[in-house]
Amino acid sequence: MGSALTVKRLAPLGILAAGFIAFFALGLDRYLSFSALRENRHLLLAWVDAWGVAAAAAYIAVYAAAVALSVPGGAVLSITGGFLFGALWGTLYILVGATAGATALFIIAKTSLGEILREKAGPWLKRMEEGFGKNALSYLLVLRLVPLFPFFVVNLVPAFLGVRLSTYVVGTFFGIIPGTAVFASVGAGLGSIFDGGEAFSLTGVMTPQIIAAMSGLALLSLIPVAYKKFKGAG
């Protein structure tokens, strides 16, 4: 009975793993590149003009699936969103897609591995849960704002630390706004780079100034944590 329950819990993760493998087996990764975007840009722009809302919905669905499957290429997808829909709408569509995909992965990880991990782990996990849980939103905002860890890692870790779904969704949506706006803005200006025949790479996107600004926001999000500690010590 126990083994059957474990298999049932792990089935959604198996589906995600199969999707991840299929993504590379079918060669879909070659489309997540700036060279592919350059080659197909007129077709994509014509498709967006023709389909409007349906094109936006399709983009959001693709972004959510990519995040849920944890495939690489999030930055390319984000810049593509700005290129296709403009800085403002591109930012919104990216936020919705990324949050939806991250939430799906969070739920699957929490229900599939979270309970199993709690059953197998010792008191150390409980202590980590308590420490993270007291200031979950602040810590999650820091992890989202400062790109210290890969996006998929930050999607998974809170699931193992007992973070509430509502806290996770709010922290994810608002935490990724600054970085999303940067990539969408870069994408909105990508057409002129393509028209000029210039090469483009991600190297210059996250400048030291932008990283410093995002780090400053991360420090601001830690103010509630500092206040609680100060109040507790007083």
Side-chain angles (χ1 to χ4, degrees):
M1 181 67 179
S3 59
L5 183 60
T6 300
V7 171
K8 186 176 181 181
R9 285 177 179 173
L10 293 176
L13 280 179
I15 294 173
L16 289 183
F20 181 86
I21 294 171
F23 176 81
F24 290 99
L26 295 173
L28 297 179
D29 55 304
R30 69 179 183 272
Y31 294 108
L32 286 181
S33 66
F34 293 114
S35 60
L37 178 59
R38 185 193 294 268
E39 292 170 7
N40 297 285
R41 61 178 175 137
H42 297 300
L43 177 64
L44 289 171
L45 289 171
W47 178 67
V48 169
D49 287 338
W51 291 96
V53 175
Y59 171 79
I60 291 171
V62 169
Y63 203 114
V67 172
L69 294 175
S70 300
V71 298
V76 176
L77 274 175
S78 295
I79 290 176
T80 299
F83 175 73
L84 295 178
F85 303 103
L88 179 59
W89 288 108
T91 297
L92 178 61
Y93 298 153
I94 296 164
L95 287 173
V96 174
T99 303
T103 300
L105 182 58
F106 172 84
I107 293 172
I108 291 172
K110 189 169 187 176
T111 55
S112 299
L113 286 178
E115 293 301 322
I116 296 174
L117 186 60
R118 287 184 182 84
E119 292 170 2
K120 303 293 184 183
W124 63 270
L125 181 61
K126 188 67 177 175
R127 289 195 295 270
M128 285 186 67
E129 282 184 344
E130 291 174 356
F132 198 92
K134 291 177 182 177
N135 303 286
L137 182 57
S138 294
Y139 290 150
L140 188 55
L141 285 172
V142 171
L143 291 173
R144 292 300 190 192
L145 285 166
V146 184
L148 292 175
F149 304 100
F151 191 68
F152 79 93
V153 173
V154 184
N155 289 342
L156 289 171
V157 171
F160 306 143
L161 296 178
V163 174
R164 290 185 302 176
L165 178 61
S166 58
T167 301
Y168 180 84
V169 172
V170 171
T172 297
F173 184 87
F174 288 100
I176 64 175
I177 286 176
T180 297
V182 169
F183 283 113
S185 297
V186 170
L190 196 58
S192 59
I193 295 176
F194 285 162
D195 291 337
E198 302 172 44
F200 177 79
S201 71
L202 290 171
T203 307
V205 175
M206 297 300 286
T207 63
Q209 292 82 359
I210 291 175
I211 293 175
M214 293 174 68
S215 299
L217 290 173
L219 287 175
L220 286 176
S221 68
L222 286 175
I223 288 178
V225 179
Y227 174 74
K228 286 181 182 179
K229 293 196 174 189
F230 177 79
K231 188 177 179 181

